[in-house]
């Protein structure tokens, strides 16, 4: 069974901090969206780079790709098609933005629960050292937690690290950039 690649959108795929710039970073295009709850006012802008879709598809032979985003299934409506991705499974968060154990990010406990002992890599802009320590404490012996700069998004070095990890180098406890 392949390891999971758990993918957040805002930060890794949508470098939202770059929205304040006069023009999108090279390779990115601005898309206007209206996910659930965004019914009034101007559409929600997101920056997306189609190269990310190609890079994720290239990893699909090593990983099972899964959305780990508050967009949940709407990632398959608003984000995936713009990146050339097929519909992906998603984590259906039991609770969003709530309390979390030991000062961890609210998603961390659910990521570990979703993985249920499977090796996984997770890309998110909110991952911190507490999350890595907590994941280790839960017995996840094969996990890569990769914090992504929300001003830059996923970079070629991130995709290279994900490929290397899936290929077995390193496959130990949680690691972060």
């Amino acid at each position: 069974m392949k390891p999971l690649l758990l993918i957040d959108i805002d930060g890794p795929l949508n470098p939202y901090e770059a929205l304040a710039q006069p023009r999108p970073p090279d390779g990115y295009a601005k898309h206007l969206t209206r996910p659930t709850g965004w019914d009034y006012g101007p559409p929600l802008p997101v920056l997306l780079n189609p190269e990310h879709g190609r890079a994720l598809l290239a990893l699909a032979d090593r990983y099972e790709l899964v959305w780990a985003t508050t967009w949940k299934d709407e990632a398959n409506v608003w984000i995936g098609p713009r990146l050339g991705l097929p519909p992906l499974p998603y984590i259906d968060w039991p609770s969003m933005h709530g309390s979390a154990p030991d000062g961890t990010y609210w998603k961390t406990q659910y990521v570990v629960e979703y993985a249920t002992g499977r090796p996984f890599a997770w890309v998110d802009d909110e991952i911190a050292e507490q999350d890595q320590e907590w994941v280790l404490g839960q017995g996840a012996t094969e996990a890569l937690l990769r914090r992504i700069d929300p001003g830059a998004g996923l970079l070629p070095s991130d995709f290279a690290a994900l490929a290397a990890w899936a290929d077995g180098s390193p496959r130990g406890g949680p690691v972060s950039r």
Side-chain angles (χ1 to χ4, degrees), residues 112 115 117-120 132 134-143 145 172-174:
V112 171
R118 283 179 68 181
F120 69 91
Q132 295 168 49
W134 192 83
V135 168
L136 267 177
Q138 300 308 301
T141 59
E142 294 187 279
L145 279 63

Side-chain angles (χ1 to χ4, degrees), residues 15-30:
Y16 58 86
E17 286 184 355
L19 281 165
Q21 302 303 316
R23 49 176 264 217
D26 288 344
Y28 284 86
K30 186 186 288 187

Side-chain angles (χ1 to χ4, degrees), residues 43-100:
L44 175 66
V46 295
L47 295 174
L48 299 172
N49 183 338
E51 288 300 317
H52 287 162
R54 288 187 274 282
L56 288 169
L57 288 174
L59 290 172
D61 62 334
R62 295 174 170 104
Y63 287 100
E64 178 185 330
L65 305 180
V66 176
W67 294 122
T69 175
T70 57
W71 290 75
K72 299 200 278 185
D73 190 39
E74 288 192 72
N76 290 315
V77 174
W78 296 104
I79 307 301
R82 291 182 165 111
L83 296 175
L85 295 173
L88 302 176
Y90 63 96
I91 298 176
D92 191 10
W93 312 107
S95 176
M96 292 197 307
H97 309 289
S99 63

